[in-house]
Amino acid sequence: MGEPRETIVQGETIAAIATAIVPQQGSVGIVRLSGSTAVSIAQQVFHSTAPWESHRILYGYIAHPETRQTIDEALLLLMKSPRSYTREDVVEFHCHGGIMAVQQVLQLCIAQGARLAEPGEFTLRAFLNGRLDLTQAEGIADLVGAQSPQAAQVALAGIKGKLTQVIRQCRSRCLDVLAEVEARIDFADDLPPLDEDHVRNQVAVLLAEVSQILSTAHQGELLRTGLKVAIVGQPNVGKSSLLNAWSRCDRAIVTALPGTTRDVVESQLVVGGIPVQVLDTAGIRDATDQVEQLGIERSQAAAKNADLVLLTVDGTVGWTDAEAALYGDIQHKPHILVINKVDLGPPVSLPGVDGPVVHTAAAQGQGIDDLENAILTIVQAGNVSAANMDLAINQRQAAALTRAHSALKQVQATIEAVLPLDFWTIDLRDAIRALGEVTGEEMTESMLDEIFSRFCIGK
């Protein structure tokens, strides 16, 4: 990215559009400024008779400073340092929505000396200026991208510092243990012998706490990215009816003719607080029609890439060689067998089939609750709750905590091997460093660039 972000942050005023801009939609658009010249730039382009006071909303007009041409009627929110999101002077122009007004205001600010913000640079400044730690910053990104109420609640817990508090407590205890060990190295003649049992117990407690936090990684990934579920099966078994009943709308065309679905149809749902992307696929069979064959190939690709496969069977036809062949392709993946149309005939037998089975009458809307419960049972594998969580780590945090866990395990091995105390300190420092990476107390510039580049520009 060229110039180091720390240098940029301290020396320039940045500007960006802070709201989603969609043509002919949205009543308000916000342009945000942050930096040492934010107020002076605002005073050049915003005209109001009200006094400029911090944390007050001003009403006025935005105009070109040279031509005096009015750009927009707007509100201005002034937040003086340090009582702002970035702990710098921050100005927000609340303009009319749409594209034209906010783009003109942004260009006006840039013409007066501001620079277009990089992705996540406002939050990066908040982090570098001590307003947020890294887990709180990532919580903000998670809240912006939340796809379910549960994901939003977990993100808010991160913003409030719940994960920060737990990690810092672990790191503080690690530092205490390290201090005890190093004191015995430096002042062996002046201090009583090291209580090795106490150190063992402390390390064991730390390992248990880190393991407990790591156990939320899978759930955190589900909350953030969602679960991709593919509905597969022979033509005319009721896959599209199942999607429509589940999504409670007619997402897919349903007819009695096999091969109606020619492409993958997608629907977004929420099950137990987890976002679920449901893919209704074309019926898989030997087809001579070129278009249908392309749909079948996409169905097979969707099943291959899905996190969970729902193999749907026509309960009036039963288990055939075709179903057995499909089952052979998906049995190595997490899957649920859905016996559909059970309202039209007796339940079918499933010879040699292992795994959860759900009976539905999709056309009648029956069995959907059982299907969702079966999905949540699979999600909960590993004793990870699918709901009522207020802490869930992301992949970056999990990688750092995994290193901390390995370092603490190595401390235990070092103690049991009766190695000199100097060896204990090496692994303790590794654990402390890894825990510091979670909160940002131990970070490199390249790591920060990687994290904040995934933010939207206005954040």
Side-chain angles (χ1 to χ4, degrees):
M1 299 180 65
E3 190 176 357
R5 283 198 178 208
E6 286 85 350
T7 303
I8 292 173
V9 165
Q10 294 174 3
E12 297 177 282
T13 294
I14 56 173
I17 298 172
T19 47
I21 304 301
V22 181
Q24 300 177 346
Q25 296 184 29
S27 59
V28 178
I30 298 175
V31 176
R32 178 177 292 153
L33 288 166
S34 180
S36 58
T37 60
V39 177
S40 63
I41 290 173
Q43 289 174 335
Q44 294 178 60
V45 302
F46 187 80
H47 303 277
S48 174
T49 58
W52 286 61
E53 298 178 358
S54 184
H55 293 79
R56 296 290 186 271
I57 296 177
L58 283 68
Y59 163 77
Y61 291 86
I62 301 172
H64 195 287
E66 296 177 1
T67 66
R68 301 298 178 184
Q69 179 183 356
T70 299
I71 303 299
D72 195 13
E73 178 186 25
L75 299 175
L76 181 143
L77 177 59
L78 170 62
M79 292 166 281
K80 297 294 291 291
S81 170
R83 295 173 57 210
S84 71
Y85 180 68
T86 61
R87 282 193 174 168
E88 301 174 333
D89 288 346
V90 171
V91 173
E92 289 184 354
F93 298 100
H94 291 235
C95 312
H96 286 94
I99 292 177
M100 195 51 60
V102 289
Q103 285 189 340
Q104 288 187 82
V105 172
L106 176 61
Q107 292 304 317
L108 207 57
C109 293
I110 291 174
Q112 303 311 307
R115 172 180 59 77
L116 185 64
E118 296 180 5
E121 192 169 356
F122 289 96
T123 305
L124 174 61
R125 293 185 177 208
F127 167 72
L128 292 175
N129 292 329
R131 169 72 169 76
L132 305 167
D133 77 355
L134 205 51
T135 65
Q136 292 173 307
E138 289 174 308
I140 290 170
D142 289 340
L143 182 59
V144 172
Q147 301 178 57
S148 70
Q150 182 64 27
Q153 287 302 308
V154 171
L156 280 170
I159 294 171
K160 292 179 179 179
K162 184 172 182 63
L163 179 58
T164 298
Q165 182 179 1
V166 175
I167 297 298
R168 283 184 173 166
Q169 286 174 352
C170 289
R171 191 167 185 265
S172 177
R173 283 199 288 272
C174 267
L175 286 166
D176 289 342
V177 174
L178 177 62
E180 284 192 48
V181 175
E182 288 187 329
R184 285 350 186 256
I185 296 174
D186 297 335
F187 308 102
D189 296 334
D190 302 324
L191 295 173
L194 181 67
D195 187 345
E196 293 188 10
D197 288 338
H198 174 70
V199 173
R200 275 196 197 88
N201 292 336
Q202 287 291 94
V203 172
V205 170
L206 285 166
L207 267 170
E209 291 180 352
V210 171
S211 296
Q212 184 176 4
I213 302 169
L214 273 171
S215 70
T216 69
H218 173 65
Q219 180 67 14
E221 189 66 15
L222 284 176
L223 289 173
R224 292 178 180 91
T225 65
L227 187 71
K228 185 177 290 186
V229 177
I231 305 174
V232 302
Q234 294 293 305
N236 212 31
V237 298
K239 300 185 300 298
S240 296
S241 295
L242 182 61
L243 174 66
N244 290 342
W246 196 2
S247 60
R248 294 174 177 82
C249 67
D250 293 335
R251 293 286 295 164
I253 298 173
V254 178
T255 73
L257 298 174
T260 301
T261 302
R262 297 298 186 94
D263 203 350
V264 176
V265 180
E266 178 182 328
S267 186
Q268 300 290 338
L269 305 172
V270 176
V271 177
I274 296 173
V276 176
Q277 179 187 17
V278 185
L279 306 174
D280 172 26
T281 66
I284 299 176
R285 64 174 178 175
D286 292 330
T288 57
D289 182 276
Q290 185 176 5
V291 175
E292 184 180 356
Q293 182 58 40
L294 287 173
I296 291 171
E297 290 174 1
R298 292 187 180 184
S299 299
Q300 293 169 332
K304 181 179 180 180
N305 296 324
D307 302 309
L308 175 66
V309 176
L310 306 183
L311 176 54
T312 308
V313 179
D314 186 339
T316 65
V317 175
W319 189 259
T320 68
D321 291 342
E323 272 73 31
L326 281 175
Y327 181 72
D329 292 336
I330 61 97
Q331 63 179 335
H332 63 286
K333 297 179 66 70
H335 63 272
I336 297 173
L337 298 180
V338 180
I339 310 302
N340 194 31
K341 304 183 184 180
V342 295
D343 56 322
L344 303 179
V348 300
S349 60
L350 304 173
V353 173
D354 184 25
V357 179
V358 174
H359 296 85
T360 64
Q364 311 302 323
Q366 298 175 11
I368 302 302
D369 289 343
D370 292 338
L371 177 60
E372 291 190 347
N373 289 333
I375 291 172
L376 289 178
T377 298
I378 291 176
V379 170
Q380 290 166 350
N383 298 320
V384 178
S385 173
N388 300 321
M389 293 185 65
D390 57 359
L391 188 154
I393 58 176
N394 60 31
Q395 288 183 336
R396 183 198 70 82
Q397 295 160 355
L401 285 168
T402 298
R403 291 196 301 274
H405 188 274
S406 297
L408 290 169
K409 290 289 289 184
Q410 189 57 44
V411 174
Q412 284 186 326
T414 300
I415 295 173
E416 296 307 317
V418 198
L419 293 176
L421 296 182
D422 299 85
F423 288 87
W424 301 22
T425 63
I426 294 172
D427 298 311
L428 282 168
R429 288 195 187 96
D430 286 344
I432 291 165
R433 188 178 303 109
L435 291 170
E437 286 182 12
V438 178
T439 58
E441 293 166 281
E442 299 271 356
M443 289 296 291
T444 65
E445 183 182 330
S446 61
M447 294 170 71
L448 291 178
D449 282 345
E450 172 64 24
I451 292 168
F452 286 98
S453 65
R454 296 192 291 266
F455 281 54
C456 60
I457 289 178
K459 269 296 181 185

